DNA sequence: CAGTGGTCTAGACCACTGG
DNA sequence: CAGTGGTCTAGACCACTGC
């Protein structure tokens, strides 16, 4: 297995290329499998393989990248651990997607007091509004835009067993989501992030949430059918696509009378 | 590398032992590295290596278990991924411990609005009470005890920059924590879970939390110095030791005026 | 049955730590 | 410098899937 080649440039990876610049402190060394990981990641980011599709077999990738199967394997291991890829023995390796039962509740952590996550069936979704506006400074900062840039603003209510439980305000950069309307949102069956994948080629990979307890104010109170002042779980989320690019700001208000936010500390 | 031997029994692992019974549905096959993982896990559980100490080198373990270094490596990889072990290149592999800066905030997810986790310095801790009582049905169920079994009950308040922010009620099975007093809790510098490790040989490995928004009631209201009815984050936690044995029930009430609960969705 | 991912081995070499 | 974990390879074989 002579000198490894960079598949995109066709140039051989020299020892120097495998070293980070000496001045850079953070990664003093980049092993081969991590470079392979970046190459696969690029393929994912550029849409070479779409969510739900299979990527080439480990042997194919090893040949393409001029490394051993074990090295490709280690790269894929890390991507699978980060939930970007899914391995299926005997079938292949596939790009992860939000359009799967299994993954449905990795981003919606509200579960009913009795029963398992999703045991109430799919939530009923009401799109309250979907309009174009311009980002204020707060939204701009969250989405790495400039203040005044165009954004789409969605407000919706999720109901379980007829009881409105979640009120969400969602901000999206207008450009990547051009063409998103209340009608398309309402028509789509399945998770919103799955629609983002198929319609806008945006795959949400990771999110950060800030959770607080807040009293229901006027406006939210009516949509969730609770008294003003009722404690609600305030969940502010920023969701990121592949290269840690923020693509969504979401403020949720969860009614925790009959549900709770579930979290595991590992 | 002929037939692998079980280091504890001295008996060779036969093909049959490496297969789960055919009747069992769940794990139809148990690879070697997973059996090695169990052996190491047993060592951890039985206190062969204590938190903070180093375990034998990969080569030593490979020799002891009669497998290759790669197989031991994969077992350790999984244990490290589960935060049970910590690898340190050039030094060895160590049993994870809560007495480390790095791990301090893996179980306390409340961070200040401005600043990084822990930027306020260590929280001031007030032990309100520490008494022996008997488990009601709810506590018994959470701790896998029988109703009426002896438990220790601790109530404490954590303050940041002089502001009381967290009120916690903690229930512990009395037997493993025999000798725990308010004085020892108050005297100990550092995380409570670190004290549990050094004094009671109980290492908390994993926890599940149920989070709700609740109004401050009478009693809690005075300790947190807020108005009755102020929304608080209610955090119910069950913490587990090595073999998924529940060892702590904790009900926390977090004041989220100047702090938020931080969570990452992967 | 061929093709996929999954396991296991053996050996070489690299990066990092400490004495 | 010896000892540790970390990387990379090559090859054999196993488990699972679908044709």
């Amino acid at each position: 297995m002579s000198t490894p080649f960079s598949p995109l440039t066709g140039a051989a990876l020299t020892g120097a290329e495998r070293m980070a610049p000496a001045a850079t402190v953070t990664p003093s060394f980049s092993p081969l499998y991590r470079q392979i990981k970046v190459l696969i990641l690029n393929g994912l980011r550029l849409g070479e393989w779409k969510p739900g599709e299979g990527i080439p077999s480990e042997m194919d990738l090893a040949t393409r990248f001029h490394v051993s199967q074990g090295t490709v394997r280690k790269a894929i291991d890390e991507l699978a651990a980060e939930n970007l890829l899914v391995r299926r023995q005997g079938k292949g390796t596939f790009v992860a997607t939000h359009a799967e039962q299994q993954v449905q509740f990795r981003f919606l952590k509200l579960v009913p007091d009795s029963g398992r996550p999703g045991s109430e069936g799919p939530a009923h979704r009401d799109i309250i509004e979907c309009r174009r506006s311009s980002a204020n400074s707060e939204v701009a900062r969250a989405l790495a835009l400039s203040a005044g840039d165009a954004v789409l603003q969605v407000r919706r209510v999720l109901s379980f067993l007829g009881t409105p439980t979640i009120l969400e305000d969602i901000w999206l950069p207008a450009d990547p989501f051009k063409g998103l309307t209340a009608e398309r949102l309402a028509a789509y069956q399945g998770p919103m992030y799955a629609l983002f994948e198929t319609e806008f080629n945006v795959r949400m990979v990771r999110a950060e949430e800030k959770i607080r307890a807040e009293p229901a104010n006027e406006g939210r109170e009516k949509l969730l059918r609770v008294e003003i002042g009722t404690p609600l779980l305030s969940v502010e989320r920023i969701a990121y696509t592949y290269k840690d690019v923020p693509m969504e700001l979401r403020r949720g208000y969860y009614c925790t009378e009959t549900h709770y936010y579930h979290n595991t500390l590992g």
Side-chain angles (χ1 to χ4, degrees), chain A:
Chain A
M1 194 108 318
S2 50
T3 62
F5 275 79
S6 165
L8 298 184
T9 66
L13 296 174
T14 68
E17 286 180 68
R18 295 179 58 178
M19 295 293 191
T24 307
V25 181
T26 335
S28 62
F29 170 70
S30 180
L32 234 197
Y33 77 85
R34 218 168 266 279
Q35 304 176 49
I36 302 300
K37 184 182 170 187
V38 169
L39 294 177
I40 297 174
L41 205 42
N42 286 342
L44 292 171
R45 192 162 46 84
L46 299 177
E48 181 168 347
W49 316 291
K50 301 223 182 308
E53 293 180 5
I55 71 172
S57 74
E58 294 177 353
M59 282 308 282
D60 285 356
L61 290 172
T63 305
R64 172 178 341 177
F65 295 151
H66 298 92
V67 298
S68 75
Q69 185 193 8
T71 300
V72 169
R73 195 167 177 73
K74 184 142 189 180
I76 293 179
D77 278 344
E78 288 205 356
L79 292 167
E82 295 166 22
N83 296 305
L84 300 187
L85 295 177
V86 176
R87 323 189 73 136
R88 286 199 253 269
Q89 181 171 155
K91 299 174 75 173
T93 302
F94 300 81
V95 182
T97 169
H98 287 275
E100 281 176 27
Q101 288 298 82
Q102 182 198 12
V103 191
Q104 297 277 8
F105 300 95
R106 200 150 51 80
F107 282 73
L108 177 56
K109 320 242 325 168
L110 202 67
V111 316
D113 284 345
S114 51
R116 311 220 59 50
S119 58
E120 297 162 325
H124 180 260
R125 304 186 295 270
D126 281 307
I127 308 296
I128 308 297
E129 75 170 323
C130 175
R131 63 187 183 84
R132 195 185 167 89
S133 66
S134 60
N136 63 27
S137 66
E138 198 177 6
V139 171
R141 183 155 25 85
L143 296 179
L145 301 174
S146 301
D149 282 0
V151 294
L152 292 176
Q153 189 170 347
V154 179
R155 166 170 279 205
R156 68 171 186 171
V157 171
L158 301 190
S159 300
F160 296 100
L161 304 176
T163 305
T165 306
I166 299 179
L167 167 61
E168 286 180 324
D169 284 307
I170 301 170
W171 289 266
L172 303 164
D175 196 47
F177 289 95
K178 193 184 314 199
L180 181 64
T181 63
E183 289 69 35
R184 291 178 84 170
L185 279 171
Y188 189 80
Q189 303 291 80
M192 186 180 287
Y193 287 170
L195 178 143
F196 290 175
E197 289 174 1
T198 56
E199 301 292 315
F200 304 98
N201 198 29
V202 172
R203 158 138 182 98
M204 298 301 188
V205 156
R206 193 177 67 82
E208 302 274 342
E209 292 192 333
K210 297 181 178 183
I211 304 169
R212 293 183 165 84
E214 282 186 21
N217 68 3
E218 207 172 341
R220 303 207 265 271
E221 144 258 355
K222 282 197 203 60
L223 290 163
L224 288 173
R225 288 198 223 128
V226 297
E227 306 274 313
I228 286 184
T230 302
L232 299 175
L233 217 57
S234 154
V235 181
E236 178 179 307
R237 174 195 297 177
I238 300 179
Y240 300 85
T241 58
Y242 283 119
K243 208 202 132 218
D244 273 350
V245 179
M247 281 299 256
E248 181 198 62
L249 169 63
R250 184 181 292 218
R251 261 196 257 277
Y253 295 92
Y254 298 2
C255 183
T256 56
E257 296 292 327
T258 58
H259 293 70
Y260 61 88
Y261 183 104
H262 179 266
N263 198 24
T264 299
L265 312 181

